[in-house]
Amino acid sequence: MKINKSNYEFYKGVFKVIWEFEAKYAKMDPNADFSPINVLQNWEKESDSLARRGLREGLRDSLTVLKDVPTDIKTELNSSLISKNFPSINILTSQIRNVPKKVLEKGKIKNLDEYYVIKEVLDDLEYEITESERTDLNKIFGEFERNYKEKNVS
């Protein structure tokens, strides 16, 4: 998922809808000081780049967690997104779901975005991949970590 200066407000709007929905079901105040939207606004004052990275990670985490949400609740959230002219949950999550397949096809992780998605996939023992795909992803993941550390130590 690419979040840049031109689409930041759009994805922040998506994230706000999802956060308000999550807060409602968790019986939390969506405007509490610790809310991710308030945290983002503080980061925006500090650094646009930090805010974009934070939004990307927060949105990715929220979308990943949605796979465990009951269908009727997902349907309600989906309606809320669509009513505000945002993409459906399926369109948003498809950007994340295709990453393991793409990484397996390429045989490598190309950036930190893919790295974090693969990390989540590997940490989730119920994620629907075969054992051989899990083994291959583990090898690719380890190789990326070794190469990344070597590049950043020099």
Side-chain angles (χ1 to χ4, degrees), residues 107-125:
K108 69 178 193 172
I109 296 171
K110 69 177 183 176
N111 57 39
L112 283 175
D113 290 340
E114 287 185 354
Y115 169 83
Y116 286 114
V117 171
I118 297 304
K119 182 178 183 345
E120 287 184 29
V121 167
L122 292 173
D123 287 347
D124 182 353
L125 298 177

Side-chain angles (χ1 to χ4, degrees), residues 12-13 16 18 22 28 56 61-62 64 66 70 78 82-83 85 88 107 109 150-151 153:
K12 183 178 173 185
K16 184 175 183 193
I18 293 171
E22 290 172 338
M28 297 184 333
R56 183 178 60 237
D61 288 347
S62 291
T64 301
L66 285 176
N78 202 44
I82 291 169
S83 73
N85 294 317
S88 70
I109 296 171
E150 288 172 10
K151 285 180 191 175
V153 170

Side-chain angles (χ1 to χ4, degrees), residues 128-146:
E128 294 181 19
I129 54 174
T130 67
E131 279 305 309
S132 68
E133 289 172 331
R134 184 172 293 281
T135 300
D136 291 345
L137 284 175
N138 267 312
K139 288 177 188 173
I140 294 167
F141 184 81
E143 185 177 314
F144 180 86
E145 282 188 326
R146 279 189 302 281

Side-chain angles (χ1 to χ4, degrees), residues 50-94:
L50 175 64
R52 284 192 304 273
R53 285 193 313 266
L55 176 58
R56 183 178 60 237
E57 294 308 317
L59 190 53
R60 179 183 296 128
D61 288 347
S62 291
L63 291 171
T64 301
V65 169
L66 285 176
K67 70 179 177 52
D68 298 324
V69 174
T71 304
D72 58 324
I73 295 174
K74 271 194 253 189
T75 302
E76 186 181 338
L77 173 57
N78 202 44
S79 296
S80 182
L81 286 165
I82 291 169
S83 73
K84 292 175 174 62
N85 294 317
F86 291 125
S88 70
I89 293 171
N90 286 338
I91 290 172
L92 292 167
T93 57
S94 71

